[in-house]
Amino acid sequence: MGQHIRWQAIITLTGIAMTIAFLSFLSFSRRTITIVVPEVGGKYTEGLVGTPQFINPLLAQANQVDQDLVALIFSGLTRTDGQGQLVPDLAKRWQVSEDGLGYDFYLRQDVLWQDGQPFTADDVLFTISLIQNADFPGIPQLATAWRAVKVEKVDNYTVHFALSEPFPSFMDFTTIGLLPAHILRDTPVEHLLYHPFNLQPIGTGLFKLDTVNVEFARLLPNPFYYGTKPKLTQVEFRFYQTYPQIIAAYQKGEILGINYIPPEALSQATTVENLNLYHARLSNIALIYLNLRDEANAPFLQELEVRQALLSALDRPTLLDRTLHGQGLVANGVILPWSWAYNPAQPTVNFDQARATHLLTRVGWVDNNGDGILDRSGQPLEFTLLSNNEPAKIKIANFISQQWRQVGISTTVEIVPTGLNERLQNHTFQAALVELHLGGDPDPYPLWHTSQIDSGQNYGGWNNRRASTLLEQARMTVNQGQRNDRYFSFQRIFAEEMPVLAIYYPVHSYGVHQEVQEVQISPLLNPADRFRNIAAWYIVTSRVIHKEVGVKR
């Protein structure tokens, strides 16, 4: 009897243990949790300085507000990713001939314009025909790039571009937004500037324009968009006259984003509640052009030692800290250091006032009359430095002038509110602080080739046959490794002659309310690239029950 009771007890205890083990297994195997997931919905409102003029990809280059709108409304054959590489957009793929003269683009066949009409090769040919027209009213650089290209329609979804000579940076121009032939076909190109389309655009991009006026532009998702649909159901740009007004509007809760935070406003922005700041390098360079052809007023700028001394006398890290709140990178050369064509072996110039003084003394510049300004043969070492009227640029120009004064160089800062480009193009300047856009492909031909002195951006008049030959050869070379060799050699010559003073590479600062999620900002070719991943942005969320398996409580 006692033995029977013991067996019952053992069986009972075993059952209890198995039940506990089973419950423990369930506890280990399953856990119910609540997670937050993004939902479709929400309105993102951003403040911009300025107003729209031409919401047209062929005419938007002079106005950042236009460029921001164009980036969301229009698409090109290609687009750039976060690493600066070209990826497919309206073209699903492309093929380049071995000689670099032929480009075949194979178009997507699932694209509709925002009015529901199909996108075809005819739209590509039409857009390029506008750019190639002699009366095209857009920027000359765009026209120059396309006029040497023959465009052929292979079929409704294949386009062939034929170049007369290799032009490796040609692909950069395939990012230009395309226009609908069925809307604009009967518009003479000289009337394009005045067409209602510029404020009533129809594109193929992620968003379509709903309303635009002098106060705001409202965008809605494009129902026909061929890619990932956005989670935001509305994007609105509100227009202001100054950046302080934008920051004030943010603090009042009128907007959720600030398109650009200038350096002078950065300290204030860091204290603004719930504002996440994003910083990304731009494909730009700030430099000082020196007029190497001004023999009447500043012939000394033709002297290498003077140019070397000018750069050695500048404490550029301190300049960036004091004028841009650190929002910039010290420049070394005129090809971006994150480009494959950058030569890291080119010599650097560091802040060294003693070296600057030595270089100037070596070519006869000394303070003969004790007034603190160097002179030679009765001529003082003085010239005028031009700047536009941006507050940050004015501060930079004044800082540079003060530093040059410390080594005996007298500089008068002249602020040019309008017409600075005309002064540069006409070579009616001595020195000018300028910020240039360098684009995606590193080809520096438009800036430094001798042919560009009067027709391009070689404003200082640098005339070096060896350097120009290298740039010509690089343009004719399809192989990137061989192009790289030529650009390395070009940079060595450029560093030896120093025809301009490379100052810094700017950084773009951008502010978005913390409730806007998944905002990412990577290196920018243009500030409008901040919207590169806007399809993933979200504001509205929901909570869902999720059961996890294989997780112990």
Side-chain angles (χ1 to χ4, degrees):
M1 183 69 178
Q3 186 177 9
H4 177 70
I5 293 174
R6 286 197 299 273
W7 276 110
Q8 282 186 327
I10 291 171
I11 292 170
T12 300
L13 291 172
T14 301
I16 293 172
M18 291 178 66
T19 300
I20 292 172
F22 178 71
L23 293 174
S24 177
F25 170 76
L26 290 178
S27 174
F28 181 86
S29 301
R30 298 180 181 274
R31 181 175 68 175
T32 301
I33 61 174
T34 301
I35 62 174
V36 176
V37 297
E39 289 286 351
V40 173
K43 172 183 176 180
Y44 173 70
T45 306
E46 182 173 294
L48 309 179
V49 167
T51 54
Q53 297 176 7
F54 303 104
I55 311 175
N56 180 328
L58 306 192
L59 305 174
Q61 288 75 16
N63 182 358
Q64 189 59 54
V65 173
D66 290 339
Q67 293 177 55
D68 290 347
L69 287 163
V70 162
L72 296 176
I73 297 171
F74 291 90
S75 309
L77 291 172
T78 65
R79 59 182 174 83
T80 57
D81 64 10
Q83 286 71 49
Q85 301 298 315
L86 290 174
V87 295
D89 200 347
L90 291 174
K92 59 185 178 182
R93 62 186 179 90
W94 58 86
Q95 184 174 335
V96 184
S97 63
E98 290 185 6
D99 60 6
L101 299 178
Y103 292 74
D104 291 305
F105 282 81
Y106 303 92
L107 309 181
R108 297 180 65 115
Q109 301 184 27
D110 57 348
V111 179
L112 298 177
W113 291 98
Q114 290 163 359
D115 60 1
Q117 294 298 308
F119 163 79
T120 70
D122 291 332
D123 299 302
V124 180
L125 269 66
F126 170 73
T127 302
I128 305 309
S129 72
L130 290 177
I131 300 173
Q132 292 178 332
N133 192 292
D135 295 321
F136 175 62
I139 61 171
Q141 295 94 322
L142 185 60
T144 300
W146 280 105
R147 281 177 184 157
V149 180
K150 183 178 180 181
V151 187
E152 300 174 348
K153 175 183 173 180
V154 179
D155 57 44
N156 280 341
Y157 295 100
T158 309
V159 176
H160 177 75
F161 296 124
L163 281 61
S164 58
E165 60 184 30
F167 180 26
S169 58
F170 162 74
M171 283 295 297
D172 276 357
F173 295 92
T174 63
T175 62
I176 189 76
L178 299 178
L179 297 179
H182 68 279
I183 294 178
L184 295 169
R185 182 178 286 114
D186 297 328
T187 302
V189 68
E190 60 269 23
H191 295 169
L192 192 61
L193 283 174
Y194 315 106
H195 199 285
F197 180 89
N198 295 323
L199 292 177
Q200 300 171 12
I202 298 294
T204 55
L206 184 62
F207 288 90
K208 65 176 184 177
L209 185 67
D210 177 61
T211 304
V212 64
N213 54 45
V214 295
E215 295 181 351
F216 69 91
R218 181 182 299 121
L219 306 178
L220 303 176
N222 173 12
F224 303 117
Y225 188 61
Y226 49 89
T228 302
K229 303 295 192 293
K231 294 197 167 47
L232 298 171
T233 53
Q234 193 173 135
V235 171
E236 185 172 291
F237 292 134
R238 295 189 183 176
F239 308 127
Y240 300 87
Q241 294 182 343
T242 67
Y243 287 106
Q245 288 176 339
I246 294 181
I247 294 177
Y250 177 88
Q251 292 174 315
K252 294 175 185 177
E254 297 176 1
I255 57 177
L256 293 175
I258 302 172
N259 75 311
Y260 170 60
I261 301 173
E264 63 271 16
L266 195 59
S267 294
Q268 178 188 0
T270 59
T271 65
V272 174
E273 187 176 0
N274 298 322
L275 183 66
N276 287 337
L277 298 181
Y278 301 86
H279 310 282
R281 64 187 188 224
L282 282 167
S283 293
N284 290 10
I285 183 172
L287 51 77
I288 295 176
Y289 274 108
L290 303 172
N291 191 339
L292 307 181
R293 306 199 305 178
D294 187 5
E295 297 184 5
N297 300 300
F300 46 80
L301 293 177
Q302 297 181 16
E303 300 176 29
L304 175 60
E305 290 84 358
V306 171
R307 300 197 297 271
Q308 291 174 329
L310 288 170
L311 192 57
S312 293
L314 294 183
D315 184 355
R316 288 175 289 167
T318 300
L319 178 151
L320 294 175
D321 288 340
R322 293 186 183 177
T323 64
L324 297 180
H325 298 273
Q327 298 305 291
L329 306 169
V330 172
N332 186 41
V334 290
I335 289 181
L336 298 172
W338 46 91
S339 167
W340 54 264
Y342 177 73
N343 183 356
Q346 63 185 303
T348 59
V349 177
N350 298 315
F351 175 51
D352 189 340
Q353 289 182 327
R355 178 175 183 268
T357 299
H358 171 73
L359 287 166
L360 294 170
T361 302
R362 193 167 75 188
V363 290
W365 292 101
V366 294
D367 183 7
N368 289 297
N369 57 14
D371 64 353
I373 303 300
L374 302 179
D375 59 90
R376 185 179 64 187
S377 303
Q379 178 190 25
L381 185 52
E382 59 183 11
F383 57 93
T384 299
L385 174 64
L386 304 186
S387 170
N388 65 22
N389 60 350
E390 293 177 28
K393 293 295 191 303
I394 294 173
K395 289 179 67 176
I396 291 168
N398 286 325
F399 183 92
I400 289 172
S401 178
Q402 292 165 10
Q403 289 221 304
W404 282 342
R405 183 66 176 77
Q406 293 176 14
V407 295
I409 302 170
S410 176
T411 313
T412 300
V413 175
E414 179 184 345
I415 308 304
V416 185
T418 60
L420 180 56
N421 283 341
E422 288 76 11
R423 296 277 298 270
L424 293 170
Q425 290 167 1
N426 296 328
H427 308 286
T428 54
F429 71 98
Q430 294 173 330
L433 175 63
V434 177
E435 186 171 318
L436 298 177
H437 177 63
L438 298 183
D441 189 273
D443 178 19
Y445 183 101
L447 298 172
W448 312 117
H449 192 272
T450 55
S451 67
Q452 304 302 298
I453 293 175
D454 293 318
S455 61
Q457 294 176 278
N458 189 351
Y459 302 128
W462 185 47
N463 188 351
N464 185 289
R465 189 62 251 170
R466 285 192 303 146
S468 291
T469 298
L470 287 166
L471 295 181
E472 293 165 10
Q473 293 172 345
R475 273 201 158 189
M476 300 290 289
T477 303
V478 176
N479 181 277
Q480 183 171 301
Q482 294 174 356
R483 284 185 76 200
N484 188 73
D485 292 342
R486 290 174 170 85
Y487 287 146
F488 271 39
S489 298
F490 162 79
Q491 289 168 86
R492 283 194 293 270
I493 296 171
F494 198 95
E496 290 169 1
E497 295 218 353
M498 200 178 295
V500 300
L501 310 180
I503 307 300
Y504 65 92
Y505 310 114
V507 169
H508 184 87
S509 298
Y510 176 49
V512 181
H513 195 284
Q514 64 180 15
E515 76 173 37
V516 184
Q517 300 295 307
E518 284 300 319
V519 178
Q520 299 176 10
I521 189 166
S522 52
L524 308 175
L525 288 177
N526 183 288
D529 290 339
R530 66 188 183 277
F531 299 124
R532 205 178 262 132
N533 82 316
I534 195 172
W537 295 11
Y538 67 91
I539 296 174
V540 177
T541 61
S542 64
R543 294 180 178 275
V544 299
I545 296 176
H546 177 70
K547 291 184 178 181
E548 290 185 327
V549 179
V551 179
K552 187 175 179 63
R553 284 184 183 274

